[in-house]
Amino acid sequence: MTKQIGVDSPDMVVPQELQNNVWITNIAKILDPVYNWGRRNSVWPMVFGLACCAIEMICTAASRYDLARFGMEVFRATPRQSDLMIISGTVTKKMVPTIVRLYNQMPEPRYVLAMGACASGGGPFKEGYSVVDGIDKFLPVDVYVPGCPPTPQALINGLIALQEKIDQQSIATVPWYGKGDPTADGVVPIPVLGPDLVDMRQLDIIRQQAAKVEATAAAGPETEAATE
Amino acid sequence: MSELILDAPEPQEEEMAVGTAVSDDPVARAAALLKERFPDAVSDDPREGYSGLMVDVDKLVEVATALRDDFGFNYLSSVTGVDLLSENKLEAVYHTYSLDQGGDALVLHVQVDRDNPSIPSLVPVWPGADFQEREAWDLIGIHFAGHPDLRRILTWDGFNGHPLRKDWKEPFFEEEKKPFGSRWPDGGVFRAEEKNPFGKNVQYPAGWQPTGNEYDVETDMYLPGETHVVDPGTGIKTDKVTVNIGPQHPSTHGVFRMVVVLDGETVVDLKPVMGYLHRNHEKIGERNTFIQNIPYTDRLDYLSSMSNNHGYVLAVEKLFGMEVTERAEWLRILMVELTRICNHLWALGFLLNDLGALQTPMLYFYLERELILDFFEATAGSRMMCNYMRFGGVAYDLPDDVRGTPTLQFLEELIYGNLPRVLDQGDQLITGNEIVRSRCIGVGVLSREDAIAYSTAGPVLRASGVQYDVRRANPYSFYPHLDFDIPVRFNGDVMDRYDIRMEEMRQSLRILQQVLPHIKATTGQKINSDKPQYALRAPRAGEAYGRVENPKGELGYYITARRREGNPDRYHVRAPSFINLTPLGKMCQGHKVADIVVILGSIDIVLGEVDR
């Protein structure tokens, strides 16, 4: 009984005379280059302008910088048809539920590019009361582009970085074709607007903090009485 | 022309003139008459450095009505609130203008107790106070009694507190004033998230528990009232449909939302919802030093950052009593007028996009806009966020060359060659186009009376037959020496707003052609004052209101400061895009859904300025 050897195993020996005629591979290795070539050259961004950076995003797509060179000129107005969400500007607390909802509506494969300082980490407006300090607090970001706003060249550089990232992906390992797709049940919970922005993943911490405040408030008069 | 400049009057107007000046000043005359008519309710503002009148809160509506009807101050430009924490008072500040006589603002101050801040609403007198009063309620917490729809506007319903009050602290609060002790002089840097228990820019009221009620805070935007219309002929009932456009919609020019009630395809009612880009400009501005606010103003109307800089430095120069060098004034006008062309090219490109001329005209216009941006990049270092102007001058002189072409040659080619060509081309291809005309003429009509009552400004006001431009009505910089016309149209529809923008670009070119010789003649002269900008402190207490004719309309900065302070005490922006939106609902009523987009495009809003 000979041992079963997988075709891509290093133990697989090809006879000398056949080596020019045999190419040992698996389906992913054959398909990946074709598949990634198709995807990297047709990344359709969503028409989604948030703030100042959106103007530079439009300039990037317009005549002079011409995103069509990368197959990215097809800006789709609906998340259902788009692959890439360019977070182009300041993410405010009032807007972030919408952004998360739009992200959840995008079909996989989907990518997020944080364009500019605000989307990456709050930027100049970080200290303010109504600004989310970076979209990565809610969404998984693939590429960060620095700048305030990034020039069209910088955005193109970021998009090329995204293409390089796509090149390295394999249909065998990408999560969205696997059985245990983490994103299928891991849809980002949509934050809600209460007295401040409420991240649904943080409800426990919020309750703990509230309990702590109540405990100190309850203990407050007693400790004061004790010191007197 | 250069001799003319030497005889020129001071470019800055003395703020203190009000109240003491000669009686041929319309502001002083109206103030005197008001004091005569309401001796008990109106008095001069006694505080140091403040102009204007102190009005008793009970008589405010009567005073405003008299001002509008009898003294010709028919235009309410700006409404804002000020928190006077040390005096336990809240103050509302109104800037009113006379459109016919021009000149400075007549400022009304109304003070109320901080514990019960109720002021009668001026919406019945000036409908343009609508959004501004809502903003003052939202951010400062002044209750405007009798306001038809006093809801929060920039934050959301259920938001905790009124953030612009001086005792309200942000989640990442560090210190009252900048520069922060942690950053200067030692430069210790830390992540604010690490100090916040939630690791995010959030905070909750003490002991607050999430309940579930916060899930539908925005449903009240869906307008209440009749849910059907009855056809008068047949008596058939038709349900009204409420459609929500935005905040993510390709034609809302950003994150703007309109709640539209439709009868079939016809708009019955429309309410704008904003605040999706509210970036705490004013709260941050009150913490910043004066110079630190300049880059923030870039990000207000991010299509015309130079104009925003100009308005802000004018306001601060007024407060400080600073002078601007000659070359700097010419450079400022050069930049500001190029910005106007830049902005209008963008606005028209987008308007045509909204009309369905998808992208082609836009792409043509942007080619020329890119040239202007190249010039800005070579001069200021950035394409959009120029951060160019300084108090008493500008930051940099012109560069030697722009992308290999000597600067002056580049400017000449731009001003005499490329820009006129693109305007002619646009005019030829678009202005007479049958589809454009049939989509634009008679759509979104705003009458002259409404345009004034709703406090609109800029091209929207001028398209409705009011020939009012701050550059002429209340001149600043070297505009009195320049020869240009204020275009005006009289139908108040989308076509007229389009025409006005086209014409304004031509007038800007005229101005630029006059400015270029001065730029040449003043080469090598000083462009800035000698004072270091970072160390500026207010030489006197008081208020200042600087305004410029932004491409979108009147952009005003209201600044108050305490003596020897390096930070503004109150910093308010009168944003033209924001206030121009007030009549949007009225303009859209009776039109079709597709026209909403066009009407919005013709107002030309930028969300950075609407929401600040």
Side-chain angles (χ1 to χ4, degrees):
Chain A
M1 228 6 223
T2 52
K3 208 174 91 189
Q4 280 281 321
I5 299 172
V7 279
D8 50 350
S9 154
D11 298 340
M12 185 77 187
V13 181
V14 181
Q16 184 77 42
E17 63 274 22
L18 287 180
Q19 266 180 4
N20 285 338
N21 306 331
V22 175
W23 178 35
I24 293 182
T25 183
N26 60 21
I27 199 84
K29 275 188 193 158
I30 295 176
L31 284 185
D32 276 347
V34 182
Y35 176 75
N36 287 341
W37 173 82
R39 283 194 312 138
R40 83 196 293 274
N41 291 315
S42 63
V43 177
W44 289 2
M46 188 155 69
V47 180
F48 187 52
L50 286 177
C52 336
C53 289
I55 306 298
E56 288 294 57
M57 184 177 77
I58 295 168
C59 285
T60 314
S63 15
R64 186 175 186 179
Y65 296 97
D66 195 12
L67 267 184
R69 291 179 293 160
F70 306 94
M72 294 182 184
E73 81 282 13
V74 194
F75 276 78
R76 305 311 293 181
T78 160
R80 302 287 185 200
Q81 298 174 350
S82 38
D83 311 302
L84 168 66
M85 185 185 232
I86 300 180
I87 309 284
S88 55
T90 315
V91 182
T92 61
K93 289 177 183 173
K94 202 169 176 179
M95 191 63 197
V96 75
T98 315
I99 296 175
V100 173
R101 192 172 284 132
L102 286 168
Y103 176 77
N104 286 343
Q105 287 174 356
M106 282 167 67
E108 286 112 352
R110 57 188 172 186
Y111 301 95
V112 177
L113 184 144
M115 179 181 181
C118 291
S120 304
F125 301 99
K126 177 175 176 176
E127 64 188 279
Y129 52 84
S130 70
V131 169
V132 173
D133 47 335
I135 190 62
D136 53 3
K137 301 281 188 300
F138 291 92
L139 303 182
V141 176
D142 293 282
V143 180
Y144 296 87
V145 179
C148 189
T151 55
Q153 294 93 325
L155 179 60
I156 289 176
N157 188 39
L159 292 170
I160 291 173
L162 179 71
Q163 289 188 329
E164 282 163 6
K165 182 166 185 167
I166 292 175
D167 280 341
Q168 284 158 20
Q169 288 183 324
S170 164
I171 45 173
T173 54
V174 287
W176 51 85
Y177 293 126
K179 280 196 181 113
D181 177 4
T183 50
D185 54 320
V187 168
V188 185
I190 293 165
V192 295
L193 295 169
D196 205 329
L197 187 70
V198 183
D199 187 348
M200 301 310 278
R201 299 167 297 189
Q202 283 192 318
L203 289 181
D204 289 342
I205 309 176
I206 295 170
R207 293 210 177 90
Q208 276 168 25
Q209 287 291 327
K212 214 187 273 177
V213 170
E214 266 166 32
T216 50
E222 287 166 27
T223 47
E224 272 171 37
T227 49
E228 275 171 11
Chain B
M1 278 298 276
S2 50
E3 299 91 72
L4 237 176
I5 302 147
L6 298 174
D7 320 327
E10 282 292 275
Q12 292 135 20
E13 307 231 342
E14 263 301 314
E15 177 82 2
M16 299 291 291
V18 179
T20 54
V22 285
S23 61
D24 61 328
D25 177 16
V27 176
R29 196 168 55 233
L33 286 171
L34 262 186
K35 276 185 280 186
E36 212 174 285
R37 189 183 295 188
F38 302 96
D40 303 330
V42 178
S43 58
D44 281 326
D45 197 324
R47 288 169 292 177
E48 184 207 342
Y50 279 69
S51 58
L53 301 169
M54 194 68 96
V55 181
D56 195 60
V57 63
D58 302 325
K59 291 277 179 153
L60 176 67
V61 177
E62 287 167 51
V63 170
T65 315
L67 204 55
R68 183 192 65 179
D69 296 337
D70 305 338
F71 304 126
F73 277 72
N74 51 354
Y75 184 76
L76 176 73
S77 166
S78 153
V79 180
T80 187
V82 181
D83 184 9
L84 306 167
L85 184 58
S86 53
E87 298 161 42
N88 200 33
K89 282 196 168 149
L90 291 180
E91 184 182 82
V93 184
Y94 302 85
H95 285 79
T96 60
Y97 290 101
S98 164
L99 288 186
D100 310 319
Q101 303 166 69
D104 245 330
L106 178 59
V107 191
L108 306 179
H109 298 269
V110 181
Q111 291 193 343
V112 282
D113 200 38
R114 206 159 178 275
D115 306 320
N116 182 25
S118 183
I119 294 179
S121 168
L122 284 191
V123 176
V125 186
W126 282 295
D130 186 351
F131 286 1
Q132 304 191 65
E133 285 185 352
R134 275 178 70 189
E135 185 199 328
W137 157 246
D138 187 357
L139 300 183
I140 304 264
I142 300 174
H143 186 266
F144 289 93
H147 188 287
D149 186 22
L150 195 64
R151 283 180 294 120
R152 285 183 182 269
I153 187 164
L154 294 181
T155 61
W156 55 89
D157 282 338
F159 186 83
N160 179 36
H162 301 286
L164 277 185
R165 289 201 179 186
K166 290 288 179 192
D167 51 358
W168 195 94
K169 310 282 187 240
E170 302 100 317
F172 284 172
F173 175 76
E174 206 178 321
E175 266 176 55
E176 283 294 345
K177 301 281 180 193
K178 281 181 185 170
F180 293 147
S182 64
R183 323 278 168 88
W184 186 87
D186 298 331
V189 177
F190 62 90
R191 292 180 73 233
E193 286 92 336
E194 286 158 9
K195 303 209 165 178
N196 188 299
F198 308 104
K200 283 194 172 76
N201 188 12
V202 291
Q203 66 185 359
Y204 305 102
W208 177 78
Q209 297 263 9
T211 56
N213 291 336
E214 61 270 6
Y215 293 97
D216 51 357
V217 284
E218 296 222 332
T219 46
D220 67 323
M221 307 293 179
Y222 296 97
L223 311 173
E226 286 288 310
T227 56
H228 60 266
V229 283
V230 182
D231 185 72
T234 56
I236 294 173
K237 282 185 187 172
T238 314
D239 272 353
K240 288 188 205 167
V241 182
T242 305
V243 177
N244 191 37
I245 306 181
Q248 194 269 328
H249 189 274
S251 60
T252 52
H253 295 222
V255 281
F256 179 65
R257 177 174 161 204
M258 293 174 283
V259 179
V260 193
V261 179
L262 296 174
D263 167 26
E265 183 94 354
T266 311
V267 178
V268 180
D269 199 358
L270 180 147
K271 282 206 175 174
V273 184
M274 49 195 94
Y276 293 97
L277 192 54
H278 178 49
R279 304 192 277 196
N280 349 293
H281 186 87
E282 292 176 12
K283 186 82 174 174
I284 294 176
E286 285 167 19
R287 184 156 297 146
N288 279 345
T289 60
F290 286 105
I291 182 99
Q292 282 175 327
N293 272 336
I294 294 179
Y296 281 92
T297 62
D298 287 336
R299 285 152 182 83
L300 277 174
D301 173 357
Y302 35 75
L303 287 171
S304 38
S305 66
M306 291 283 193
S307 301
N308 302 343
N309 284 179
H310 199 188
Y312 178 65
V313 295
L314 275 185
V316 176
E317 280 159 8
K318 239 184 201 179
L319 188 70
F320 287 8
M322 287 174 91
E323 290 190 11
V324 188
T325 61
E326 188 192 331
R327 181 168 173 79
E329 286 283 25
W330 291 124
L331 284 175
R332 281 181 184 185
I333 295 179
L334 173 77
M335 296 300 176
V336 165
E337 294 304 324
L338 279 175
T339 301
R340 196 180 309 277
I341 295 173
C342 219
N343 177 80
H344 285 352
L345 283 177
W346 187 275
L348 293 188
F350 249 82
L351 176 64
L352 292 163
N353 212 355
D354 291 341
L355 278 168
L358 261 180
Q359 296 186 350
T360 311
M362 194 175 94
L363 295 178
Y364 270 89
F365 284 155
Y366 292 180
L367 274 177
E368 258 56 32
R369 180 178 176 270
E370 285 287 337
L371 295 180
I372 302 179
L373 295 189
D374 275 350
F375 172 64
F376 286 168
E377 192 177 15
T379 310
S382 175
R383 284 157 52 85
M384 281 167 61
M385 306 304 175
C386 300
N387 187 11
Y388 182 62
M389 304 207 182
R390 294 288 182 272
F391 310 126
V394 294
Y396 315 101
D397 209 329
L398 293 183
D400 294 336
D401 63 301
V402 180
R403 293 207 188 277
T405 318
T407 304
L408 283 171
Q409 191 193 334
F410 182 87
L411 282 176
E412 270 165 11
E413 279 170 14
L414 192 65
I415 291 165
Y416 290 98
N418 294 20
L419 290 176
R421 191 160 57 234
V422 74
L423 293 187
D424 288 344
Q425 193 185 28
D427 232 1
Q428 210 178 351
L429 292 174
I430 294 157
T431 312
N433 182 295
E434 201 176 324
I435 302 172
V436 170
R437 293 188 83 81
S438 60
R439 285 289 308 272
C440 291
I441 292 177
V443 173
V445 176
L446 188 67
S447 70
R448 182 189 154 92
E449 292 69 34
D450 280 346
I452 297 171
Y454 280 103
S455 307
T456 57
V460 180
L461 183 66
R462 289 192 284 276
S464 294
V466 185
Q467 198 170 21
Y468 187 79
D469 187 311
V470 183
R471 291 174 292 174
R472 277 277 185 261
N474 191 2
Y476 54 93
S477 196
F478 281 167
Y479 280 110
H481 310 307
L482 293 166
D483 184 25
F484 64 100
D485 297 330
I486 309 297
V488 62
R489 296 287 185 278
F490 297 92
N491 298 319
D493 57 6
V494 174
M495 194 69 211
D496 277 4
R497 279 171 225 138
Y498 168 90
D499 271 350
I500 289 270
R501 294 208 169 86
M502 268 292 179
E503 190 54 36
E504 271 186 16
M505 283 195 275
R506 294 191 189 282
Q507 296 301 328
S508 288
L509 280 179
R510 259 178 86 185
I511 295 174
L512 288 170
Q513 287 163 6
Q514 295 166 51
V515 167
L516 267 191
H518 292 285
I519 299 276
K520 270 183 204 158
T522 54
T523 306
Q525 289 184 16
K526 257 175 57 163
I527 53 156
N528 211 334
S529 69
D530 297 324
K531 254 186 164 177
Q533 301 270 322
Y534 53 84
L536 287 179
R537 284 173 184 277
R540 62 173 175 97
E543 63 171 1
Y545 185 71
R547 55 175 190 153
V548 291
E549 187 68 32
N550 202 37
K552 311 267 191 307
E554 176 195 332
L555 174 70
Y557 289 87
Y558 177 71
I559 297 172
T560 71
R562 297 208 186 114
R563 199 178 158 78
R564 304 303 304 154
E565 281 282 323
N567 315 65
D569 206 36
R570 176 79 178 99
Y571 167 66
H572 173 71
V573 184
R574 187 252 185 234
S577 301
F578 174 61
I579 298 164
N580 284 352
L581 278 176
T582 323
L584 178 67
K586 192 167 176 142
M587 281 152 82
C588 289
Q589 274 167 22
H591 290 295
K592 305 290 185 225
V593 181
D595 294 329
I596 298 174
V597 173
V598 181
I599 294 169
L600 183 71
S602 76
I603 298 178
D604 182 22
I605 56 166
V606 160
L607 265 295
E609 194 176 71
V610 173
D611 297 338
R612 277 150 294 149

